[in-house]
Amino acid sequence: MKIECNAFEGCTSLENLKFEDGIMRIGNWAFKNCIGLSSIFIPYTVSDLRATAFVGCTGIETIQFGGWMICDMYWLIVAMTSAGEGGVGGHLKKILVPKGAKEFYSNQMMKTYELKHDGDLDRKYASLIEEATTR
């Protein structure tokens, strides 16, 4: 299953997204400019998360992962660190990961950030990672 490009673009009534297991792809601009969106739950089944999926969703405060992500973390980092280009980064306060996965996600995030910024490390996003106690 996938969420197509531009599927919910401009939908201002979306506040919380909880994707069900089975979603494998979230397309480009799928939730572009959904300014009311404040939290996202991404299941472990997502293997293709496009960098532009949440462009303009400037109100996102929490992203939660339902399992160990198998998608390329690069796209998530690009989306989160592009606040100046309408990305998520501006209001993000918490990244929730499965219990026991904090170190894995921190390491993946920092490796990815290094690739994007040629070693110019900003630990801001890695420091937002917390382990979730519930799904």
Side-chain angles (χ1 to χ4, degrees):
M1 294 175 59
K2 62 185 175 182
I3 297 174
E4 298 289 343
C5 298
N6 305 92
F8 295 93
E9 181 179 350
C11 182
T12 56
S13 61
L14 282 176
E15 294 177 6
N16 302 298
L17 281 180
K18 182 180 179 194
F19 298 108
E20 296 298 322
D21 292 349
I23 296 291
M24 295 171 54
R25 181 177 198 273
I26 301 174
N28 285 312
W29 309 287
F31 296 92
K32 181 180 178 181
N33 296 327
C34 292
I35 57 174
L37 195 54
S38 65
S39 68
I40 305 168
F41 175 86
I42 301 173
Y44 72 95
T45 55
V46 173
S47 59
D48 186 2
L49 173 61
R50 305 303 354 193
T52 58
F54 297 100
V55 165
C57 297
T58 53
I60 295 175
E61 296 181 354
T62 305
I63 297 174
Q64 181 174 357
F65 295 99
W68 295 73
M69 287 295 287
I70 58 173
C71 76
D72 185 350
M73 292 287 287
Y74 178 80
W75 296 115
L76 176 63
I77 304 303
V78 170
M80 289 191 331
T81 58
S82 62
E85 302 159 22
V88 172
H91 290 57
L92 193 64
K93 295 178 183 168
K94 199 181 307 183
I95 301 168
L96 294 171
V97 299
K99 193 169 179 142
K102 184 174 181 175
E103 185 176 347
F104 170 79
Y105 275 86
S106 293
N107 289 339
Q108 290 301 309
M109 193 161 289
M110 292 313 296
K111 276 192 245 175
T112 304
Y113 197 89
E114 286 178 40
L115 288 173
K116 182 177 186 283
H117 292 282
D118 297 322
D120 178 21
L121 297 180
D122 177 351
R123 299 188 182 277
K124 175 182 177 185
Y125 297 101
S127 70
L128 298 177
I129 297 174
E130 298 176 19
E131 290 187 351
T133 54
T134 60
R135 185 167 190 221

